[in-house]
Amino acid sequence: RDSKNAGDSRMIVMGDYQGGDFLIEDHGQRATPTRISEKYKWIAFDGRNRHWTTPITSGMRYSIVAFVFAERTG
């Protein structure tokens, strides 16, 4: 989970690599996390949900992530 994330995030991954799949849980709505392995395509996900990347077994993986920062009030 990303701290101070307001919700919607966008990510694109690039590079010549093996492994490095992106997994995200949907607040328990699915028995197994969603696995995304697409490269060079923007994906949308809720950064407040638990998410992680599998190990990269070879090559270099580059990621660009955009999200809305949730400001703390009070």
Side-chain angles (χ1 to χ4, degrees):
R1 292 180 187 93
D2 294 329
S3 64
K4 299 183 182 177
N5 188 318
D8 287 343
S9 297
R10 303 290 187 271
M11 179 176 72
I12 188 169
V13 296
M14 300 159 280
D16 184 16
Y17 64 91
Q18 298 295 315
D21 290 350
F22 182 72
L23 290 94
I24 185 162
E25 291 181 348
D26 298 325
H27 287 303
Q29 295 175 6
R30 294 190 174 125
T32 58
T34 300
R35 179 181 293 261
I36 301 168
S37 58
E38 294 180 86
K39 299 177 185 177
Y40 302 100
K41 180 178 178 183
W42 284 97
I43 61 164
F45 64 98
D46 187 337
R48 297 172 297 183
N49 292 350
R50 187 169 168 250
H51 55 279
W52 63 98
T53 302
T54 62
I56 296 165
T57 56
S58 66
M60 294 289 285
R61 178 183 190 266
Y62 301 93
S63 304
I64 298 172
V65 181
F67 66 97
V68 176
F69 185 80
E71 291 188 41
R72 189 176 244 200
T73 58

